[in-house]
Amino acid sequence: MLTINSGPDGSVHIAGRLDAAEAPVAQAFLDRVAGTVNLDCSRLEYISSAGLGVLLKTQKRLMTAAGGLRLTGVSRHVRDIFVYSGFDQIIAIEVAE
Amino acid sequence: MRQAFQRRIESLGEIFRFTAAALTVEAMDAKQRNAVDLAIEELFTNMIKYSRPGSAEVLIEIAGVDGAVVVTLTDADVEPFDVTMAPDASVDVALEQRQPGGLGLHLVRRLVDSLSYEYVPESRESRTSFRVMCSRPSTAGSNPRGGTHADD
């Protein structure tokens, strides 16, 4: 189960599991964001390669317009996935304390 | 425990309910359970992508063996594809050169303690197994009366 929505400050909140079944939902939402986007991942429990594909496509699109993703509140497990995939080198990530 | 799943992405929700039931909280911590789920998802979605439409269901078996959880995915009536031989993805390239895809097996190899593959030509069955060590003694697939069985 995945939820993704915008907060009052313009940040995007993603919660639950970003797996292959939910990736299209996340992609459809992120296809509409622009600029520098703060993505609150404090309630993101799980991400698979399908979810990474969503973030990659979004990051590429935003950066061509001088924007980009900034992930905050990333759990240690999700952080590990980013490190294994090299995504910590192409997306700004803040790990939850 | 074992269960067969229809060969479609929408089966993932049912698969994760199956793994949640099979993996007791005492046996694995959240990180290890996530590793099992992610490895299953990546292997399962690969099977969907590379099999022909209308193929048989995928059987997933989970068992506790020697302080670890062993998961086997069996795909029937398929051509062989040894996942252990797939090359790693290039993860050190710049954003502009990154392409979607190719990360599934790359992640699996880093999350599990071992990965194996077997193809049975007589039945055209492809069996992929992986092992994730438990932080505590595993009770996955165990007999409710006590003891552990490799096959439930």
Side-chain angles (χ1 to χ4, degrees), chain B residues 100-150:
Chain B
L103 284 172
L105 294 178
H106 181 96
L107 291 175
V108 171
R109 278 194 278 267
R110 281 150 183 81
L111 289 169
V112 305
D113 294 291
S114 68
L115 178 67
S116 63
Y117 177 82
E118 176 190 12
Y119 185 74
V120 183
E122 295 79 17
S123 55
R124 288 170 51 80
E125 277 190 348
S126 185
R127 295 179 190 154
T128 305
S129 295
F130 66 86
R131 173 187 291 257
V132 176
M133 296 300 294
C134 300
S135 52
R136 278 162 288 209
S138 169
T139 58
S142 61
N143 188 320
R145 291 171 296 176
T148 300
H149 296 266

Side-chain angles (χ1 to χ4, degrees), chain B residues 1-3 5 15-24 28 36-37 40 59-65 68-73 130 138-142 149-152:
Chain B
M1 291 176 67
R2 58 171 59 173
Q3 187 171 334
F5 299 91
I15 289 172
F16 294 145
R17 287 190 289 277
F18 167 70
T19 62
L23 303 174
T24 62
M28 299 188 119
V36 170
D37 279 354
I40 289 176
L59 177 67
I60 300 178
E61 301 170 270
I62 298 179
V65 180
V69 165
V70 177
V71 180
T72 300
L73 292 88
F130 66 86
S138 169
T139 58
S142 61
H149 296 266
D151 186 16
D152 251 0

Side-chain angles (χ1 to χ4, degrees), chain A residues 16-76:
Chain A
R17 301 171 67 104
L18 183 48
D19 58 30
E22 300 287 358
V25 171
Q27 191 70 75
F29 185 97
L30 291 173
D31 281 348
R32 299 192 297 267
V33 302
T36 299
V37 178
N38 187 57
L39 185 62
D40 180 351
C41 298
S42 56
R43 292 189 299 142
L44 181 65
E45 301 165 3
Y46 170 103
I47 187 167
S48 66
S49 66
L52 295 177
V54 170
L55 296 181
L56 177 64
K57 182 182 176 187
T58 304
Q59 178 73 335
K60 282 189 162 189
R61 179 178 65 79
L62 294 177
M63 290 197 71
T64 58
L69 287 171
R70 180 167 160 266
L71 277 54
T72 61
V74 174
S75 71
R76 284 185 300 167

Side-chain angles (χ1 to χ4, degrees), chain A residues 20 46 48-49 60 84-85, chain B residues 34 37 41-42 95 98 106:
Chain A
Y46 170 103
S48 66
S49 66
K60 282 189 162 189
Y84 296 149
S85 61
Chain B
N34 268 346
D37 279 354
E41 175 181 338
E42 302 297 350
L95 177 67
R98 294 293 298 255
H106 181 96

